[in-house]
Amino acid sequence: ILNSRTVIDSLINIYNLHQVYDYPQTAMTKIREEFLANVEIEISKEGNYEINVWDKDPTRAARIANDYVRIANNHAVKVFKDEAI
């Protein structure tokens, strides 16, 4: 879910990252590559996930990391509900 296109594209669109990375909005493959080059997701021994985001603006990086968790959780809930039906 953390690497799903739904989650990644949501973050790209919310933060207009095509402008940040200086790509046309239609170049989603390049934008996704740039975004993923600036994200690191690790799982700890205890099973917790750590998400690191790098950006020119440290405030935006922190907001992206927090929204990453929120959007991924919302997407996971939707997937689980859809599978339960």
Side-chain angles (χ1 to χ4, degrees):
I1 297 235
L2 291 172
N3 288 321
S4 73
R5 195 178 273 189
T6 300
V7 172
I8 292 168
D9 287 358
S10 294
L11 291 163
I12 288 169
N13 291 325
I14 289 168
Y15 290 96
N16 295 313
L17 294 179
H18 69 282
Q19 293 174 344
V20 174
Y21 302 147
D22 198 27
Y23 286 113
Q25 196 166 7
T26 55
M28 283 304 286
T29 301
K30 290 285 190 189
I31 299 166
R32 284 185 201 107
E33 288 173 2
E34 185 86 22
F35 175 76
L36 291 172
N38 291 300
V39 171
E40 179 182 77
I41 300 171
E42 294 182 356
I43 186 165
S44 71
K45 292 178 185 177
E46 297 81 25
N48 297 318
Y49 288 91
E50 183 178 313
I51 299 172
N52 296 300
V53 178
W54 292 273
D55 191 272
K56 295 180 228 177
D57 179 351
T59 303
R60 180 173 47 219
R63 289 192 338 242
I64 291 171
N66 288 328
D67 283 342
Y68 209 126
V69 172
R70 180 184 56 80
I71 291 168
N73 283 338
N74 288 341
H75 184 56
V77 168
K78 183 184 180 315
V79 168
F80 294 137
K81 283 183 180 177
D82 289 349
E83 287 181 1
I85 296 178

